[in-house]
Amino acid sequence: MLRHIIALIAGGLFGSGLFLSGMTNTAKVQGWLDVFGDWDPTLAFVMGGAMIPMALAWLVRNRRVTALTGAPLPPPASSEIDRKLVVGSVLFGMGWGLAGLCPGPSIAALSYGGPGLYVFLAAMLTGMLVAPSLLARLDRAVPAE
């Protein structure tokens, strides 16, 4: 039960932060990405501000073995730069630039995002469902070095 309460609080804080910072506003996000046009630098403060609690979380993570709930913490993620990371990053960036949203803000904007948001969510969910089998096919066709 404590795990669910912590998840609810964390999700609420995360969603509220996305909304208040403008990350759910597609025009603002696309303005941030338009560095050669009408660039809006305000989201740099959001991203910079997000790095502070994340850096603190990494420091705490390195000193703890268990979460607040008593569950074991997973090992740190791999820092290896491989084909899966590069392709995923490129696809994420393309989707972010075209739609002006990424998964977190799109869910936070569900109540007011309009029809375009639902198209984005359908495409995102389709990609999540298709990606594992597509990656398996690619690995069979062209093994990673």
Side-chain angles (χ1 to χ4, degrees):
M1 183 64 167
L2 179 60
R3 183 172 148 237
H4 295 295
I5 293 170
I6 291 171
L8 178 67
I9 292 169
L13 284 171
F14 182 69
S16 299
L18 291 173
F19 178 75
L20 291 172
S21 67
M23 290 291 290
T24 58
N25 179 349
T26 58
K28 188 169 195 66
V29 172
Q30 287 173 326
W32 156 254
L33 296 170
D34 188 11
V35 293
F36 298 113
D38 190 19
W39 187 53
D40 179 0
T42 57
L43 290 183
F45 297 105
V46 174
M47 292 181 189
M51 292 305 298
I52 295 167
M54 198 64 235
L56 293 172
W58 285 327
L59 288 173
V60 169
R61 170 36 183 121
N62 290 336
R63 295 188 177 120
R64 293 187 63 97
V65 178
T66 61
L68 294 175
T69 60
L73 289 172
S78 170
S79 60
E80 178 185 356
I81 298 174
D82 59 3
R83 177 175 61 188
K84 187 176 174 182
L85 175 67
V86 172
V87 171
S89 299
V90 168
L91 290 174
F92 179 89
M94 287 170 48
W96 197 35
L98 290 171
L101 288 170
C102 59
S106 68
I107 292 170
L110 271 176
S111 64
Y112 66 88
L117 175 66
Y118 296 105
V119 172
F120 173 81
L121 284 172
M124 179 181 75
L125 292 173
T126 301
M128 289 174 163
L129 292 172
V130 171
S133 61
L134 184 61
L135 283 172
R137 281 186 183 168
L138 286 173
D139 284 341
R140 283 193 302 272
V142 183
E145 296 178 10

